[in-house]
Amino acid sequence: MRSLRFVFAGAVLALSAACAPPEPLRLTILHNNDVHSRLQPVSAQNNTCSAQQLAQNQCFGGMARVAALIERERAAAAAAGRQILVLDAGDQFQGSLFYSHYKGAAEAEVMNLMAYDAMALGNHEFDDGPEVLARFLRTVRVPVLSANVNADAEPALRGLYRSHVVLSRGGHRIAIIGATTEDTPSIASPGPRVAFPRAETVLNPLIARLRAEGVSHVVLLSHLGLARDREVAAAVDGIDVVVGGHSHTLLSNTAQGAEGPYPVRVRGPSGREVLIVQAMAFTRFVGRLDVDFDATGNVIRAEGDTIPVVQSIAPNAAIQAAIDRLDAPLVEVRARPVGVTPAEFPLEGCRARECALGNLVAEAMLAATRQAGAQIALQNGGGLRAGIPAGNVTLGHVLTTLPFQNAVATLKLRGRDFVAALESGLSQVEQGAGRFPQVAGVRYTWDRARPAGARVISVELRRPDGGYGPLDPDAIYTIATNDFMRRGGDGYTVLRDRAIDPYDFGPGLDDALAEYIRTNNPVRIGLDGRIVTR
């Protein structure tokens, strides 16, 4: 009888232990975002590093070093008794010859060699349509997530991605939920059968259901951009951490040029703190967030930072070998000389003001279409993806600056409609949107303090003698742009809806730029006041 009591007591103790709430969670999140096909190290201009730059220790990132850094931080966190998540916040696609040549297969192979727990669907994953994305999703072994991508009507994508995953860490059930920018239809090519509802409308009921099912913590793996991340964190209850991407924002407590602290802190609807992190882009940083929760799920400690991926980090050997093999067919293409630029053409500022790189590309577009009568060229700042260094310019530089394989398009447009296109391009400067209008053949003045839609003060047409005269709102002008914008991309619906005699099948934009550099070698374009900001 006595032994039976002990057996019964032991069973009660075991049952009590099994039903006891889990211990407080000590979680480490390692994360990156917006890799943009930068499998190899990049320069300060975010181009693929040259051998000379590597020798001079001027390079950053590359996925083999990202993997090594993640391994190092994972080991340190595990040794400290912490639970670990490794996350990618989207936009693996688009940005180098690796994507242009392999269309996602190279990125999938490298990701499969790493230890990611989940990846968000980014807008650039849709750049070449559902079929290309579907091949990637069938190949990659990482769960790819988005709760607000609805592809029920798109057979190519149906069932290949998830809204969320639930992972167990230290006895806690953690939901990782994906979200993708709602602007994707206007800035990529998802096709007509894929919908992108407002994130809040999908996340609110989903998180409520997951919490009711026993999920203890929620991480939003977001490709919405920092401004939207703030909005979602403040509007959707139940989110603990937002691991973000899309806006290429450097959040850091130590790095030069940081746009905010790491983490950003926002109060959710119930008053609980939500932590937001992001790690710039192009493999230059890996973020590490250490966040401790008490037994009720409240944040009691959060610290961390973005860690630079510097050359002194020894690359992961297996991943480096895979990248070298994938790169072998691309070496000759990348190295082809194009010309010389005495001065650097930086990417910085191209989404907010006149930039020399924007002037260069717009002038190249105009030169390529002059025989077709083009008078004005229009290029979206977000279509420029890397700067061009001073010195020898190769085809690799050109293809990294213009990775989207756009064609130069032409159309005729009334003067007033061109002004409307500029207004659209200037409407989201505060959000760092890629639609900012870089131009050739015209000069315009705009007022940032005015409301969107009423910011253009004046537009003048460049005359053959180099002077400027007023744009006639009733006259019809021939415009050169890229085919993505001509079809209404990046919000330029006026180029789609009011175009006269559009033609979307001109030379490749990268070919136009390479030819312009060859013809005008050495290239001496700089800032000339064609965009005046008040």
Side-chain angles (χ1 to χ4, degrees), residues 40-44 49 58-62 282-284 309-311:
Q40 293 178 319
V42 298
S43 68
C49 256
Q58 296 176 348
C59 301
F60 311 87
F282 309 129
T283 72
R284 292 184 61 165
V309 185
V310 294
Q311 270 190 245

Side-chain angles (χ1 to χ4, degrees), residues 35-54 58-62 95-99 282-284 311 320 323-324 327 330-331 334-335 385-389 392 394-401 403:
V35 167
H36 286 298
S37 193
R38 300 308 204 275
L39 303 186
Q40 293 178 319
V42 298
S43 68
Q45 294 81 29
N46 300 317
N47 273 299
T48 300
C49 256
S50 67
Q52 180 181 6
Q53 289 169 322
L54 282 165
Q58 296 176 348
C59 301
F60 311 87
S96 80
L97 270 178
F98 284 101
Y99 180 76
F282 309 129
T283 72
R284 292 184 61 165
Q311 270 190 245
Q320 188 62 58
I323 292 170
D324 290 344
D327 186 55
L330 311 180
V331 172
R334 193 181 290 112
R385 306 306 289 190
I388 296 176
N392 294 321
T394 66
L395 187 58
H397 292 128
V398 171
L399 292 170
T400 307
T401 297

Side-chain angles (χ1 to χ4, degrees), residues 103 405 473:
K103 294 298 182 184
Q405 298 182 309

